């Protein structure tokens, strides 16, 4: 038997477009002689649909589209589609109105419906807000073959792997009791760095402990701040990877189930001997290459799915805006990227020259808008009010806000999406200006620490990306990487005037934000107590800024976005 995996990139709410993606994959599967097609979780709606699930007309339209899709699919192909289905007992039993379901379509009809049992309510997930959990696990038959159905989190409750049980019940163990031969999983598992390896290791552990092959179909693409890497795969009952689909790209694959051996088999690309001799792995590998691909996909899909065609960003001659410009150029083409230089009297000549060289290397258009005269106008307007005060943060931030206004004017006039360029280290400690450099429709690297920004730029210059290296061999001019980072809002300013060195700062932030360590634990790890306390204070005070920031692409376990729900008004607690 042949099983097709459709790793598709749905758009939230686009029922017709998503249905067409499923139909295209089904036609390809039927042409290849497949018996079964697996699609990602909620792929008819797009994941995550969030409060669209609370709109009755949207749910009704999704139901109509599902039945239409059933009639349009190849009649001899069994297809499992991820969608939301009504909970008919919700009013009587007081439950949620919907289930997160996998629906089996075959012969023009809805044959069976399977409900997700384990509903995640952590980080970016809020499924308990919308869905009623399924009570039992189920399977369907193709011939004599029993195929168990699970949805995403249903396979993440593995006590042996995690060391403790996070939910009541174990869907895969229940399927073993039902005597299934194979497990399929419809998934929309978001990306974070190194998650592909964790995901495959966890499912391999499940396959091994239950002696069942697993076919895993994951969504790919960016939806708002969340990136889905795809990286679907199939595992045989011995926990060997027999097929791995592309990461950060749409993909399609066929795997074969041998009824006589009761297991998934390698195909012509990965036969059984290849499994033994050359274990499959994910491409690109972990590290800078993986993060780069995620950010490029995130920008590409945010631009496309929000209806934009071009982007604009401020180029300061610094490393953060250089990296964002490179990501945007790769995502939507350099011809669709506009960089704007807005030098002030405090901008160094080398920063302007560095920005011009970067633009030339990337092949992007550039505009120069000096802000000196605008600064003088603000100074005159505020002169009486600011009399007898000294130059300080207010005047520094005015420069950033002037630049933000100019960029927003360009965005409004020409319909370009404004990309903001602040990194995670700055966002964490509030080293950013509301209504200034924080302006934008998408914050590209707000989950990328400063140290990783440097690493990515060095990786780019090594030729790791699809961007063409210029004649001098460096996409990011060497001076941008080597010079001390500075906002250049006053003479001689550098970031380390007010922040610890970034290698120290980033380690403190990682321990605080991602590892949830206390001040005492961070100090015990070797950091200066005063520096740690000051950093924690900055993080807590900057919450009001982060609440007003543009959506930022998530690449870590703990990003300042959908999954970050810290109060603004709070007492110190570390």
């Amino acid at each position: 038997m042949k099983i097709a995996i459709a790793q598709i990139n749905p758009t939230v709410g686009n029922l017709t477009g998503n249905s067409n993606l499923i139909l295209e994959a089904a036609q390809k599967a039927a042409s290849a002689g497949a018996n079964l097609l697996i699609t990602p979780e909620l792929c008819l709606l797009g994941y995550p649909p969030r409060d669209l699930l609370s709109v009755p007309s949207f749910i009704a339209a999704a139901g109509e589209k599902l039945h239409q899709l059933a009639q349009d699919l190849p009649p001899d192909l069994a297809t499992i589609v991820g969608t939301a289905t009504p909970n008919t007992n919700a009013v009587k039993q007081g439950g949620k109105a919907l289930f997160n379901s996998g629906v089996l379509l075959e012969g023009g009809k809805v044959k069976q419906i399977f409900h997700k049992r384990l509903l995640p309510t952590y980080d970016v997930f809020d499924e308990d807000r919308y869905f009623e959990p399924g009570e039992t696990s189920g399977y369907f038959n193709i011939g004599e073959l029993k195929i168990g159905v699970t949805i995403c989190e249903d396979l993440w409750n593995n006590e042996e792997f995690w060391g403790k049980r996070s939910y009541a019940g174990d869907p895969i163990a229940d399927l073993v009791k039902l005597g299934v031969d194979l497990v399929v999983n419809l998934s929309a598992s978001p990306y974070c760095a190194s998650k592909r390896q964790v995901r495959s290791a966890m499912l391999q552990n499940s396959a091994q402990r239950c002696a069942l092959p697993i076919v895993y179909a994951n969504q790919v693409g960016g939806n708002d701040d969340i990136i889905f890497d795809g990286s679907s795969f199939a595992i045989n009952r011995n926990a060997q990877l027999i097929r791995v689909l592309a990461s950060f790209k749409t993909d399609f694959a066929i795997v074969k189930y041998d009824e006589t051996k009761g297991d998934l088999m390698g195909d012509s690309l990965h036969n059984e001997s290849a499994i033994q001799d050359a274990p499959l792995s994910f491409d690109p590998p972990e590290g800078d290459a993986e993060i780069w691909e995620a950010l490029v996909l995130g920008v590409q899909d945010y631009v496309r799915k929000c209806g934009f065609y071009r982007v604009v960003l401020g180029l300061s001659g610094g490393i953060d805006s250089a990296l964002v410009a490179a990501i945007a150029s790769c995502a939507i083409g350099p011809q669709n990227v506009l960089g704007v230089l807005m030098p002030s009297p405090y901008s160094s000549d080398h920063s302007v020259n560095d920005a011009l060289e970067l633009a030339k290397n990337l092949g992007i258009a550039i505009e120069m808008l000096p802000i000196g005269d605008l600064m003088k106008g603000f100074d005159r307007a505020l002169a009486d009010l600011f009399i007898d005060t000294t130059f300080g943060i207010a005047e520094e931030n005015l420069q950033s806000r002037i630049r933000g206004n100019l960029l927003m004017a360009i965005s409004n006039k020409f319909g370009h999406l404004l990309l903001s360029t602040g990194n995670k280290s700055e966002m964490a400690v509030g080293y950013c200006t509301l209504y200034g450099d924080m302006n934008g429709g998408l914050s590209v690297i707000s989950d990328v620490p400063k140290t990783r920004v440097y690493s990515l730029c060095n990786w780019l210059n090594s030729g790791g990306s699809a961007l063409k290296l210029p004649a001098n061999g460096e996409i990011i001019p060497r001076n941008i990487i080597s010079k001390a980072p500075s906002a250049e809002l006053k003479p001689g300013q550098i970031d380390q005037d007010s922040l610890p060195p970034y290698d120290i700062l980033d380690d403190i932030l990682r321990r605080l934000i991602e590892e949830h360590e206390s001040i005492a634990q961070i100090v015990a790890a070797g950091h200066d107590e005063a520096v740690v306390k000051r950093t924690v204070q900055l993080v807590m005070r900057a919450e009001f800024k982060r609440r007003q920031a543009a959506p930022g692409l998530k690449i870590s376990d703990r990003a300042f976005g959908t999954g970050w729900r810290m109060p603004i008004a709070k007492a110190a607690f570390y």
Side-chain angles (χ1 to χ4, degrees):
M1 189 184 78
K2 293 183 178 180
I3 303 168
I5 304 171
Q7 182 173 290
I8 60 177
N9 184 348
T11 298
V12 173
N14 187 355
L15 298 174
T16 297
N18 299 340
S19 177
N20 289 339
L21 292 177
I22 297 167
L23 183 58
E24 289 169 11
Q27 292 166 341
K28 187 184 295 186
S31 298
N35 309 89
L36 173 64
L37 172 68
I38 311 298
T39 67
E41 177 183 13
L42 290 180
C43 63
L44 183 60
L45 313 183
Y47 192 95
R50 297 190 172 125
D51 277 4
L52 279 177
L53 294 167
S54 303
V55 180
S57 59
F58 176 67
I59 298 303
E64 293 172 4
K65 185 62 68 175
L66 180 72
H67 285 279
Q68 183 62 53
L69 179 61
Q71 297 173 31
D72 294 340
L73 288 168
D76 297 327
L77 178 71
T79 302
I80 303 182
V81 174
T83 189
T85 60
N87 176 11
T88 55
N89 293 321
V91 175
K92 184 187 301 184
Q93 299 179 357
K96 302 298 193 313
L98 298 171
F99 290 106
N100 182 339
S101 304
V103 180
L104 177 65
L105 306 178
E106 189 177 13
K109 298 179 180 179
V110 172
K111 285 295 189 70
Q112 284 180 253
I113 302 177
F114 307 90
H115 303 315
K116 186 175 183 178
R117 292 178 57 185
L118 306 182
L119 304 178
T121 56
Y122 56 87
D123 193 38
V124 299
F125 302 107
D126 200 10
E127 293 196 20
D128 189 57
R129 177 184 175 96
Y130 309 104
F131 297 120
E132 184 74 8
E135 295 181 353
T136 60
S137 298
Y139 67 88
F140 65 96
N141 291 90
I142 292 184
E144 299 298 318
L145 190 67
K146 290 183 176 181
I147 302 172
V149 179
T150 58
I151 300 175
C152 202
E153 196 83 2
D154 290 346
L155 285 187
W156 284 78
N157 191 33
N158 185 331
E159 185 174 8
E160 291 183 21
F161 187 80
W162 296 113
K164 64 179 180 179
R165 198 176 297 276
S166 55
Y167 298 99
D170 188 343
I172 194 169
D174 291 347
L175 289 173
V176 172
K177 294 175 185 177
L178 291 172
V180 302
D181 302 293
L182 168 72
V183 174
V184 298
N185 185 265
L186 290 67
S187 189
S189 177
Y191 166 80
C192 70
S194 303
K195 188 174 181 179
R196 296 175 301 171
Q197 284 70 20
V198 171
R199 199 188 286 136
S200 63
M202 188 271 300
L203 263 68
Q204 284 175 294
N205 183 279
S206 294
Q208 195 166 38
R209 73 185 174 97
C210 298
L212 285 173
I214 299 173
V215 179
Y216 173 85
N218 193 32
Q219 176 174 298
V220 70
N223 282 327
D224 293 351
D225 55 331
I226 306 175
I227 302 164
F228 299 88
D229 56 282
S231 310
S232 305
F233 54 88
I235 302 170
N236 66 16
R237 62 173 61 251
N238 294 320
Q240 296 168 314
L241 285 169
I242 67 165
R243 192 67 193 264
V244 175
L245 277 68
S247 297
F248 309 109
K249 296 178 177 66
T250 57
D251 204 359
F252 176 90
I254 301 278
V255 294
K256 301 173 185 176
Y257 184 88
D258 189 324
E259 290 90 339
T260 59
K261 295 183 178 180
D263 206 356
L264 291 169
M265 309 302 294
D267 60 14
S268 58
L269 294 177
H270 304 297
N271 57 34
E272 288 182 275
S273 62
I275 297 170
Q276 302 293 334
D277 299 337
L280 300 178
S281 60
F282 298 101
D283 183 43
E286 291 185 34
D288 292 323
E290 170 188 323
I291 291 171
W292 171 263
E293 292 288 347
L295 294 171
V296 167
L297 177 60
V299 170
Q300 185 179 69
D301 273 359
Y302 193 90
V303 171
R304 176 175 64 88
K305 293 179 180 181
C306 291
F308 291 94
Y309 299 94
R310 295 177 178 84
V311 301
V312 60
L313 72 154
L315 288 184
S316 65
I319 196 165
D320 296 321
S321 61
L323 177 60
V324 172
I327 292 167
S329 296
C330 192
I332 63 172
Q335 71 278 11
N336 296 314
V337 179
L338 173 63
V340 183
L341 277 70
M342 295 165 286
S344 80
Y346 306 121
S347 299
S348 60
D349 291 339
H350 66 73
S351 290
V352 174
N353 293 333
D354 292 341
L356 291 171
E357 184 180 352
L358 172 75
K360 180 180 178 182
N361 291 349
L362 293 173
I364 66 175
I366 197 162
E367 292 288 343
M368 181 90 74
L369 300 176
I371 66 169
D373 289 342
L374 292 170
M375 290 169 60
K376 291 176 182 176
F378 274 90
D379 289 341
R380 287 193 296 269
L382 293 166
D384 292 341
L385 186 61
F386 282 11
I387 195 168
D388 296 329
T389 64
T390 57
F391 182 97
I393 292 176
E395 289 82 2
E396 291 180 31
N397 287 345
L398 272 175
Q399 298 169 58
S400 180
R401 292 183 175 123
I402 290 168
R403 292 177 173 126
N405 272 324
L406 293 175
L407 291 169
M408 283 305 304
I410 294 169
S411 173
N412 291 163
K413 176 62 72 174
F414 302 110
H416 295 3
L417 172 67
L418 174 57
L419 303 180
S420 57
T421 61
N423 61 64
K424 188 173 189 176
S425 309
E426 295 170 347
M427 291 293 293
V429 297
Y431 204 72
C432 47
T433 304
L434 273 176
Y435 326 120
D437 60 308
M438 290 180 68
N439 280 3
L442 179 66
S443 187
V444 178
I445 60 171
S446 62
D447 198 28
V448 182
K450 188 77 167 189
T451 48
R452 177 64 75 174
V453 171
Y454 280 100
S455 179
L456 283 165
C457 287
N458 283 314
W459 174 82
L460 279 176
N461 282 351
S462 73
S465 77
L467 291 173
K468 183 179 179 181
L469 288 173
N472 63 13
E474 293 182 337
I475 295 172
I476 310 297
R478 179 52 47 185
N479 193 53
I480 287 180
I481 297 175
S482 62
K483 66 186 176 184
S486 170
E488 293 192 329
L489 299 176
K490 63 181 179 180
Q493 183 183 44
I494 61 172
D495 290 2
Q496 262 60 75
D497 291 339
S498 51
L499 296 175
Y502 279 113
D503 57 339
I504 294 174
L505 177 63
D506 283 353
D507 189 59
I508 294 172
L509 292 174
R510 178 186 61 81
R511 292 175 181 277
L512 178 71
I513 295 166
E514 297 180 29
E515 303 299 329
H516 307 287
E517 292 185 5
S518 67
I519 288 177
Q521 289 173 311
I522 299 172
V523 171
H527 290 287
D528 179 84
E529 184 175 0
V531 172
V532 174
K533 287 183 175 179
R534 173 61 177 157
T535 301
V536 171
Q537 184 182 52
L538 290 172
V539 171
M540 294 181 67
R541 286 182 175 178
E543 189 59 43
F544 78 101
K545 291 186 179 182
R546 291 189 290 270
R547 189 70 64 87
Q548 300 178 68
L553 299 177
K554 181 182 188 297
I555 65 158
S556 75
D557 276 335
R558 194 80 169 123
F560 299 129
T562 304
W564 180 268
R565 302 181 187 183
M566 287 291 182
I568 296 173
K570 58 186 179 294
F573 57 90
Y574 283 95

